[in-house]
Amino acid sequence: EVQLVESGGGLVQSGGSLRLSCAASGFTFDDYAIGWFRRAPGKEREGVSAFTSSDNSTYYAISVKDRFTISSDNAKNTVYLQMKNLRPEDTAVYFCAALRLREGLFLPFGDPYDYWGQGTQVTVSS
């Protein structure tokens, strides 16, 4: 059974940092992309970052580029999202998701992901 469990969310002041973790079970990263998404109150879900271990490619939304870093520990089957210089507009529920890679162009924030975690709340106070 595939499971994704996020952790590491919380309340932080503007300018602060948090590291989110996504612990995966039931599959290995070799054939999957792992993405981080977020949903802010009253807004659509948006892609934040993604990672493919097959070629160590990373992807970032423009709004978080140079502030967020995605990484993985394959031995622990865990993907991390290090978030720095957080802003109030980063407040959202953050989800990790897994997508089994298919042939053709990979759209990190456009392709439908196969599995989702339950989410972790990140709140940034001003």
Side-chain angles (χ1 to χ4, degrees), residues 32-52:
Y32 283 80
I34 303 297
W36 284 99
F37 294 78
R38 67 186 181 187
R39 181 185 289 120
K43 295 188 177 181
E44 296 287 322
R45 185 178 66 200
E46 65 172 341
V48 175
S49 183
F51 167 77
T52 52

Side-chain angles (χ1 to χ4, degrees), residues 15-74:
S17 300
L18 282 174
R19 189 179 77 159
L20 304 183
S21 299
C22 174
S25 59
F27 70 102
T28 60
F29 293 158
D30 294 349
D31 299 323
Y32 283 80
I34 303 297
W36 284 99
F37 294 78
R38 67 186 181 187
R39 181 185 289 120
K43 295 188 177 181
E44 296 287 322
R45 185 178 66 200
E46 65 172 341
V48 175
S49 183
F51 167 77
T52 52
S53 67
S54 58
D55 59 1
N56 283 324
S57 292
T58 58
Y59 307 85
Y60 297 96
I62 293 174
S63 59
V64 306
K65 191 172 174 57
D66 298 327
R67 298 189 298 122
F68 291 9
T69 303
I70 192 169
S71 63
S72 73
D73 184 334
N74 288 357

